[in-house]
């Protein structure tokens, strides 16, 4: 057990993968409970898809992004933090959201065309919400939080975001096309 803990401590990406493997299905579960589902109605396969995506896609990609950002802007000051946060919103965030909707749809056994249509409908409304939240969180993250703890910090902040993503993922495309999120 001690060797495993040393290994986790030595490789921060593993810490992030463990954290996201717990938080993403938890966010999915919370979203389903907020939607009024009883325990016997919970979609555990959906939680499993969130587990896989959060642990094996989000955590490593976020870890890589944070490492690249730390190399591009090595200083831990407000100006660098703002540059990192804004760059993330322009580069990483749209790619990550596209990957989320597309990959999760494929994991639901949807076709490539159906998956791409979901991206087209849900990406912009989700992105509009993200740009109101994440620049502030990431500015704090890049200014105050030590580099080795940035992925775990962001993963804790992302629990609420994951609940929102689970909500957006379960929304029918027709609802979004006609609803307030597209205006």
């Amino acid at each position: 057990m001690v060797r495993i803990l040393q290994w986790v401590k030595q490789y921060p990406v593993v810490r992030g993968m463990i954290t996201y493997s717990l938080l993403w299905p938890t966010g999915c579960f919370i979203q389903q409970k907020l939607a009024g589902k009883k325990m016997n109605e919970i979609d555990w396969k959906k939680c499993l898809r969130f587990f896989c995506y959060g642990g094996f896609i989000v955590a490593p990609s976020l870890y890589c992004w944070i490492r690249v950002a730390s190399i591009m802007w090595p200083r831990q000051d407000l100006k660098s933090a703002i540059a990192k946060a804004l760059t993330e919103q322009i580069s990483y965030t749209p790619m990550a959201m596209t990957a989320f909707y597309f990959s999760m749809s494929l994991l639901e056994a949807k076709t490539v065309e159906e998956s791409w249509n979901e991206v087209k409908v849900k990406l912009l409304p989700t992105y509009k919400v993200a740009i109101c939240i994440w620049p502030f969180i990431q500015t704090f993250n890049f200014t105050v939080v030590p580099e080795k703890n940035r992925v775990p910090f962001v993963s804790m902040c992302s629990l609420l975001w994951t609940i929102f993503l689970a909500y957006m993922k379960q929304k029918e495309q027709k609802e979004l096309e006609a609803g307030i999120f597209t205006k």
Side-chain angles (χ1 to χ4, degrees):
M1 184 65 159
V2 172
R3 293 189 82 160
I4 292 172
L5 292 174
Q6 289 173 335
W7 186 67
V8 169
K9 186 176 181 179
Q10 183 180 357
Y11 298 103
V13 69
V14 174
R15 258 194 328 234
M17 291 174 74
I18 292 168
T19 304
Y20 273 79
S21 292
L22 296 171
L23 288 178
W24 273 61
T26 301
C28 177
F29 175 82
I30 291 169
Q31 181 275 320
Q32 291 183 63
K33 290 300 286 177
L34 289 172
K37 291 193 175 187
K38 296 181 171 99
M39 284 303 286
N40 64 338
E41 299 172 323
I42 296 295
D43 184 347
W44 296 108
K45 288 181 181 178
K46 183 177 181 182
C47 291
L48 180 62
R49 289 190 296 271
F50 271 73
F51 164 84
C52 293
Y53 189 80
F56 297 108
I57 305 297
V58 175
S61 70
L62 184 58
Y63 175 79
C64 290
W65 159 246
I66 289 175
R67 294 286 297 145
V68 167
S70 295
I71 291 167
M72 292 172 64
W73 296 278
R75 293 194 335 231
Q76 217 171 317
D77 59 11
L78 184 59
K79 183 178 177 181
S80 295
I82 291 170
K84 290 175 194 179
L86 292 177
T87 302
E88 178 177 303
Q89 290 308 301
I90 294 167
S91 61
Y92 177 80
T93 300
M95 177 213 54
M97 287 180 193
T98 299
F100 169 73
Y101 287 122
F102 192 79
S103 299
M104 292 296 277
S105 294
L106 291 177
L107 288 172
E108 294 171 346
K110 291 182 179 177
T111 66
V112 170
E113 184 178 349
E114 290 170 321
S115 301
W116 184 242
N117 284 336
E118 185 167 358
V119 170
K120 289 192 283 188
V121 171
K122 295 181 179 180
L123 179 64
L124 186 57
T126 308
Y127 186 67
K128 287 177 183 179
V129 175
I131 60 175
C132 294
I133 298 168
W134 283 105
F136 301 104
I137 292 172
Q138 287 296 61
T139 298
F140 177 81
N141 189 29
F142 288 125
T143 305
V144 177
V145 179
E147 183 178 345
K148 68 179 185 168
N149 295 324
R150 288 181 185 157
V151 170
F153 170 78
V154 169
S155 65
M156 295 306 291
C157 295
S158 76
L159 178 60
L160 292 174
W161 180 248
T162 304
I163 294 167
F164 174 72
L165 285 178
Y167 166 76
M168 290 296 287
K169 179 70 181 114
Q170 63 85 36
K171 294 282 289 176
E172 293 295 325
Q173 292 182 25
K174 293 175 280 192
E175 291 177 76
L176 287 171
E177 290 168 346
I180 60 170
F181 282 105
T182 56
K183 293 179 181 170

